[in-house]
Amino acid sequence: MVERVFEKKVLQIIKKYRLASKKDKVLVALSGGKDSTSVLYILKKAGFDVSALMIDLHLGLWSEKHKKNMTGFCDELEVNLHVVDLRKELGSGICFIKQVVKEKKNLSGCTVCGVIKKWILNKYAKKLKATKLATGHNLDDEAQTVLMNFLKGNLYLGVGSKPATGRIQENEKKFVQRIKPLFFMPEEEIREYSKKMNFPVLYEKCPCAFGTYRIETREWMRDLNLTSKQKLKIVEGFQKLIPNLEKKEKGKRELRECKICGEPASHEVCNACCILSCLKEM
Ligand code: AMP
Ligand code: ZN
């Protein structure tokens, strides 16, 4: 069956790149979309020690529907679901935060959302004592990242884009290692799998994601009509460049502790605290 072949391929990626072992405590960053839902299901079925974390971004009905779907799904799977409420955590929903930051710092909405999500996920993964944090990033996302950075003329921006990140010893306490079990799986195959499995997920993209460079790149890539093989070539080709890029970058980006929240930062204050300071200035 196609579904079993798909699951086998994902488990092979996990094994080949040593993304997780049965000793790990894996926290799946669950958005309620097809990708992270598939990751959660496959890991649980294969016997990994998994729990899930969903950030309620307060995007109206969109968030409500995702939360309801995933609460039911995790109940059925007998997986512990942690929901982090952005309003309780930061005092406002993501739309308000994005609007304020856009006006004050001229950052795109998706960048702001991405920084906040990453910050919360890392903070909670540590709090919940997870040893791995799994996301649903897929081959199409990764190919987009490579092409986007190429078009920006800065491939260095992608040095961290690997199936598993942050294993460097000194970072271990600061970052919970992030793993991407669908790194080499084309989006089309994931959609097909998720539909066959009847997962209770929404297939529409985030209603707030528009007008950013990543989305323009996604649309441009769609027009290019690349095959899965071509996307794989882009991603694998870039993976081969990473060791050289890392060598050249060594020592340039020192990792520190944010003086406000203590999370990892490349400057005195981390990107999330920098964004959140705008809200306090109001
Ligand atoms: P995105 O940045 O929306 O493309 O999502 C990339 C990955 O981040 C997803 O596959 C999830 O693993 C994770 N993610 C996105 N949104 C959320 C959310 N609201 N709560 C938890 N994890 C999320
Ligand atoms: Zn901070």
Side-chain angles (χ1 to χ4, degrees):
M1 258 203 307
V2 196
E3 299 91 290
R4 300 295 92 82
V5 176
F6 180 88
E7 289 166 3
K8 211 170 149 194
K9 278 194 212 164
V10 176
L11 293 173
Q12 275 166 352
I13 294 174
I14 295 174
K15 197 168 170 203
K16 180 169 176 193
Y17 294 89
R18 296 192 195 160
L19 301 190
S21 78
K22 297 284 163 73
K23 286 186 196 145
D24 277 309
K25 213 169 167 294
V26 186
L27 183 67
V28 178
L30 193 63
S31 66
K34 62 184 184 323
D35 308 295
S36 47
T37 305
S38 301
V39 169
L40 179 68
Y41 180 84
I42 294 170
L43 287 175
K44 174 72 183 177
K45 189 176 169 193
F48 286 89
D49 176 2
V50 277
S51 56
L53 187 141
M54 170 176 251
I55 306 168
D56 182 354
L57 298 164
H58 285 281
L59 284 170
L61 264 182
W62 165 266
S63 294
E64 286 308 310
K65 191 105 215 284
H66 276 104
K67 208 164 61 176
K68 193 166 168 244
N69 285 346
M70 289 302 108
T71 307
F73 185 69
C74 288
D75 263 0
E76 242 174 68
L77 267 189
E78 296 183 1
V79 163
N80 209 350
L81 171 67
H82 307 270
V83 179
V84 175
D85 185 320
L86 203 68
R87 273 201 195 135
K88 283 190 193 141
E89 193 71 19
L90 303 176
S92 8
I94 198 70
C95 279
F96 181 75
I97 299 176
K98 281 197 222 181
Q99 197 53 38
V100 174
V101 177
K102 191 167 186 254
E103 277 166 26
K104 295 203 174 182
K105 294 211 188 273
N106 198 25
L107 282 174
S108 92
C110 293
T111 307
V112 174
C113 188
V115 168
I116 300 283
K117 279 195 287 201
K118 212 166 161 183
W119 183 71
I120 291 185
L121 288 172
N122 192 53
K123 216 165 83 162
Y124 274 83
K126 283 194 289 187
K127 212 171 177 175
L128 296 167
K129 303 212 165 15
T131 54
K132 306 277 161 150
L133 174 65
T135 63
H137 291 96
N138 61 41
L139 181 70
D140 292 54
D141 298 325
E142 298 304 325
Q144 266 162 33
T145 303
V146 176
L147 292 182
M148 200 170 71
N149 292 337
F150 180 73
L151 292 175
K152 281 185 185 168
N154 191 355
L155 281 178
Y156 283 103
L157 292 172
V159 294
S161 299
K162 293 185 270 189
T165 56
R167 200 173 239 157
I168 314 158
Q169 254 174 5
E170 62 164 298
N171 291 348
E172 256 166 23
K173 279 178 270 150
K174 297 179 191 165
F175 273 123
V176 174
Q177 188 180 34
R178 272 175 293 132
I179 59 167
K180 301 174 179 174
L182 303 179
F183 196 89
F184 297 105
M185 301 305 287
E187 181 163 27
E188 209 35 57
E189 272 184 49
I190 304 169
R191 184 176 292 113
E192 201 184 317
Y193 170 73
S194 167
K195 286 195 167 162
K196 283 235 163 80
M197 298 299 290
N198 269 325
F199 289 149
V201 300
L202 301 180
Y203 290 91
E204 297 88 44
K205 294 274 175 204
C206 168
C208 274
F210 51 84
T212 67
Y213 201 48
R214 177 174 283 278
I215 294 176
E216 276 173 27
T217 313
R218 184 190 294 158
E219 280 161 11
W220 168 69
M221 264 181 73
R222 199 179 301 138
D223 292 342
L224 284 179
N225 229 340
L226 297 175
T227 60
S228 297
K229 255 195 183 155
Q230 287 170 317
K231 290 173 198 163
L232 203 58
K233 266 196 173 167
I234 294 171
V235 171
E236 286 180 337
F238 181 68
Q239 288 300 299
K240 286 188 194 138
L241 288 181
I242 289 183
N244 275 333
L245 292 173
E246 277 176 336
K247 254 186 235 158
K248 287 196 179 146
E249 276 286 271
K250 212 173 172 196
K252 279 196 194 157
R253 274 197 240 159
E254 188 200 342
L255 203 65
R256 323 181 189 177
E257 259 174 41
C258 167
K259 71 172 185 188
I260 300 177
C261 70
E263 284 293 298
S266 42
H267 305 283
E268 236 183 7
V269 174
C270 76
N271 289 339
C273 286
C274 207
I275 284 173
L276 296 173
S277 65
C278 288
L279 299 175
K280 293 192 187 111
E281 283 163 13
M282 288 187 66

